Amino acid sequence: MLITQLKSKETIESLAEGKIVIINCHGCKEVYFAEHEADELQKELAASKEVTQIITTDYICNPDNLKLQLKKHMDKINAADTILVFSCGVGIQTVAAQFEDKHVYSCCDTYPLPGFQGVTPLNVDCGQCGECYLNGTGGICPITACSKSLVNGQCGGAKNGKCEVDKDMECGWERIYRKLEKLNKLDAMKYDAPKVRNFGISEIQTAE
């Protein structure tokens, strides 16, 4: 079983900029999700921010299912500036990979209990660190995308984009660099790990 806990209200509110689409995942019964708290917070966001769509679906960790579930909402998603995701770390990474050109932000932290990891067929995992880094690393988890679980940048051992530990594995930090470059947020790499875990919009705007 996994446990997801909402990030602080202040952090989530700071991320809610421009036109916003919210995606909730209620798919895995093996994942405890703070559904009531999330619903109340989203009502407050809808009253004070420009929330254009709130989508509640299931198993967003599966990219094929995600595409199918979001198909009818694509007009609102394409017009959005920000996508806020309320799910475990696997789902957030899948959404971020699906919308490479969008600002996709995690609104939850996933806590370290051994067990279910979603139903994604991709090589996506959640380290259940309890303090999600994804908002500062372009939606790519440094704990699981890097074979050494480095959180402060590349080790320097990669060759031709491949990890020195696993030659068949793409360097996680090169992936993060390319994604941040695409989002014009490379300055995010100047922050240390504790700061990245609690990234709000002020830090992200500074990085743009």
Side-chain angles (χ1 to χ4, degrees), residues 36-82:
H36 175 72
E37 293 89 339
D39 183 58
E40 291 300 312
L41 176 57
Q42 289 167 27
K43 287 178 182 177
E44 292 183 27
L45 289 175
S48 61
K49 303 281 188 175
E50 192 175 358
V51 177
T52 61
Q53 189 80 45
I54 297 177
I55 303 164
T56 298
T57 184
D58 57 12
Y59 300 109
I60 65 171
C61 53
N62 185 305
D64 292 330
N65 180 65
L66 179 66
K67 285 181 182 179
L68 182 64
Q69 297 291 339
L70 298 185
K71 187 175 181 180
K72 63 183 178 182
H73 303 292
M74 287 308 299
D75 287 347
K76 293 290 180 64
I77 293 172
N78 287 334
D81 301 299
T82 302

Side-chain angles (χ1 to χ4, degrees), residues 130-141:
E131 296 180 287
C132 191
Y133 292 88
L134 295 173
N135 291 346
T137 56
I140 298 170
C141 176

